Amino acid sequence: MEIKIGVIGLGYVGLPLARLFATKFPVVGFDINQKRVDELNSAKDNTLEVEEDLLKTVLTKQPLKEIGLYCSTDINDIAECNYYIVTVPTPVDKNNRPDLTPLYKSSETVGKVLKKGDIVVYESTVYPGVTEDECVPVLEKISGLKYNVDFYAGYSPERINPGDKEHTVDKILKVTAGSTPEIGIKVNELYKSIISAGTHLAPTIKVAEAAKVIENSQRDINIAFVNELAKIFNILNIDTQAVLEAAGTKWNFLPFKPGLVGGHCIGVDPYYLAQKAQEAGYHPEIILAGRRMNDSMGDYVASQIIKLMIKKNITINKAKLLMLGITFKENCPDVRNTKIVDLIKALSDYGIEITVYDPWANPAEVKHEYNLLTTTAMPEAKFDAIVLGVAHKEFLNIDLQLFKSENAVIYDVKGVLKENVDAKL
């Protein structure tokens, strides 16, 4: 039987995966955003994950007629697929509770075209049990088919690192799993055909789900530890970066750095694991303590900046501050769950007037997501304070004298600026 793949969701995860599969199989990339689909069909990717020339090599004019990628918002175009790969986001709500709405909606979409023998693979980061306890019942209800009799499920958690051109999807080892041992082998073979780094077949879907969610929880806890160290060493008037550099000379010291922990994974995934643990009657102390520490860093950095400004006799109310960067990480346009927003809010509460300069972020997207104005053009004004929030390559050698008022404070959140700064995290 010829493999025909439908990828549901064409964002940071779905598009690179669909493009890669399209080098070997007929693929339809499905998304509900018509503007996004139109851009992709013209070989433009505003997430910057897939280059135009690379995208052009796989785009086709008709769905599933040949090897290649056809992008569509029409559910009929995925009706002939026999593998459905769901790559939608899994955010948290304002109370940090998992929001499975995108998964439910995408499962309903797949359920409408699901046929006997089809396999539905989920890539979204979830807590253990979501695939079989939450998504599969939706597939059964909408399709009228029976799980592990008429159709099957798989799980292969995404490991995309937005903006990373070295560790691309094909070069990152892929964990796979299936709803039966036989389906596990099928799913594993499918991914093995495109992933040069290899695959790891987990024994069950729940094991694969748990493995993914602890990857980012582990990073979150480690970063929380060095964030706490930064607070301690700041009180003791010790250079945190110098301490970490010295400690890092031991072969087994883990090289984590303090910072604002945002993004769609590390700042979110621990809450998924915590939610499931609490439902099972266990209160996860270390995981939630790490989250509290990292979520507090925006307010902490703001307080440090305010103290420096006061020491320089800068009037806080109506002071002008330049924020360099708003994306959640360097050299990437992704603004999802960026913690720079926490820092901006904390500083704004003091009456500071903030100009946000980020050559990578889409101003319309930032306005829509956070109701904040940003600019991609270098400002010409002078500022009372300059904060390096994101280590974009454009900022590494920037001449801050262009923006400094006579007594300006310079604060380096990322610890990467070469010229003299007043403080760094």
Side-chain angles (χ1 to χ4, degrees):
M1 182 178 67
E2 182 186 12
I3 291 174
K4 296 180 179 181
I5 300 171
V7 176
I8 315 302
L10 293 173
Y12 284 87
V13 174
L15 179 64
L17 187 70
R19 197 283 311 172
L20 189 57
F21 270 124
T23 61
K24 297 234 175 138
F25 306 102
V27 178
V28 173
F30 178 87
D31 201 287
I32 59 174
N33 186 335
Q34 185 66 57
K35 182 183 176 184
R36 171 70 171 161
V37 167
D38 290 343
E39 287 174 346
L40 294 178
N41 280 328
S42 63
K44 297 286 191 293
D45 171 27
N46 60 23
T47 69
L48 306 181
E49 289 301 303
V50 179
E51 295 175 359
E52 183 174 340
D53 291 345
L54 208 54
L55 196 51
K56 281 181 178 178
T57 62
V58 297
L59 288 175
T60 61
K61 298 296 185 183
Q62 289 183 300
L64 304 175
K65 300 302 182 186
E66 59 183 344
I67 291 175
L69 173 63
Y70 182 83
C71 300
S72 175
T73 58
D74 187 348
I75 191 173
N76 294 313
D77 289 332
I78 60 171
E80 293 181 26
C81 295
N82 42 36
Y83 279 87
Y84 295 95
I85 301 177
V86 179
T87 63
V88 296
T90 44
V92 293
D93 63 20
K94 63 181 180 180
N95 297 313
N96 292 321
R97 293 177 62 86
D99 180 4
L100 300 179
T101 303
L103 275 178
Y104 291 142
K105 295 291 186 184
S106 58
S107 296
E108 289 174 3
T109 298
V110 173
K112 292 174 183 176
V113 294
L114 199 61
K115 307 170 297 301
K116 287 191 175 183
D118 288 352
I119 300 173
V120 186
V121 182
Y122 290 87
E123 288 222 355
S124 308
T125 303
V126 293
Y127 55 77
V130 166
T131 299
E132 293 170 293
D133 300 341
E134 301 289 341
C135 298
V136 164
V138 175
L139 294 172
E140 287 186 315
K141 179 181 178 182
I142 300 298
S143 70
L145 301 176
K146 189 168 178 60
Y147 178 50
N148 276 343
V149 175
D150 300 318
F151 75 94
Y152 305 90
Y155 186 75
S156 182
E158 60 91 359
R159 281 175 165 172
I160 292 288
N161 188 23
D164 190 337
K165 301 307 179 186
E166 180 181 352
H167 301 97
T168 51
V169 60
D170 55 313
K171 297 175 184 174
I172 303 173
L173 193 142
K174 206 86 163 67
V175 173
T176 63
S179 55
T180 70
E182 296 76 20
I183 295 303
I185 292 170
K186 282 190 174 184
V187 171
N188 193 63
E189 290 299 317
L190 180 70
Y191 280 96
K192 188 184 286 186
S193 70
I194 61 163
I195 305 295
S196 59
T199 58
H200 173 89
L201 178 56
T204 66
I205 287 176
K206 283 187 175 68
V207 167
E209 290 170 327
K212 169 58 181 176
V213 81
I214 70 165
E215 289 175 18
N216 290 325
S217 298
Q218 183 186 65
R219 283 187 60 80
D220 193 45
I221 291 166
N222 277 303
I223 296 170
F225 172 61
V226 294
N227 274 337
E228 185 162 62
L229 293 180
K231 289 184 176 182
I232 293 170
F233 294 142
N234 183 53
I235 294 171
L236 299 177
N237 198 28
I238 299 172
D239 186 334
T240 303
Q241 302 286 350
V243 173
L244 294 175
E245 184 179 344
T249 58
K250 188 179 181 185
W251 76 91
N252 60 354
F253 184 83
L254 301 177
F256 288 92
K257 294 182 179 180
L260 304 175
V261 184
H264 63 104
C265 287
I266 300 178
V268 172
D269 295 352
Y271 287 121
Y272 274 75
L273 184 56
Q275 168 80 8
K276 189 62 177 177
Q278 288 168 331
E279 287 178 0
Y282 178 80
H283 181 72
E285 297 184 29
I286 293 175
I287 293 171
L288 291 179
R291 275 286 77 229
R292 285 193 298 272
M293 171 60 66
N294 288 338
D295 278 347
S296 74
M297 292 306 291
D299 285 340
Y300 174 75
V301 171
S303 70
Q304 297 303 300
I305 294 168
I306 295 299
K307 287 177 184 178
L308 289 168
M309 293 173 72
I310 291 172
K311 286 180 180 178
K312 288 197 171 186
N313 296 315
I314 297 172
T315 302
I316 304 300
N317 193 31
K318 303 294 184 183
K320 297 185 183 302
L321 182 145
L322 175 62
M323 180 66 65
L324 296 174
I326 195 170
T327 61
F328 94 88
K329 64 178 294 188
E330 66 276 4
N331 308 323
C332 172
D334 196 346
V335 297
R336 290 175 295 172
N337 194 35
T338 172
K339 293 304 178 182
I340 298 295
V341 170
D342 292 356
L343 177 53
I344 290 171
K345 182 184 182 303
L347 291 167
S348 297
D349 287 344
Y350 287 96
I352 294 176
E353 297 175 357
I354 301 171
T355 297
V356 182
Y357 165 46
D358 193 320
W360 287 81
N362 183 326
E365 186 179 352
V366 177
K367 183 71 168 66
H368 178 265
E369 290 291 326
Y370 305 109
N371 197 30
L372 289 172
L373 297 177
T374 63
T375 179
T376 57
M378 189 176 291
E380 296 181 358
K382 299 289 186 181
F383 297 89
D384 302 304
I386 301 167
V387 179
L388 187 284
V390 186
H392 291 318
K393 59 186 179 183
E394 290 86 348
F395 298 155
L396 299 185
N397 296 302
I398 196 168
D399 183 5
L400 296 183
Q401 301 302 319
L402 296 172
F403 313 115
K404 283 182 64 177
S405 64
E406 185 177 348
N407 205 29
V409 163
I410 299 176
Y411 190 97
D412 184 0
V413 174
K414 303 298 291 185
V416 295
L417 293 177
K418 292 183 171 62
E419 64 179 274
N420 291 333
V421 298
D422 292 284
K424 55 189 175 182
L425 184 57

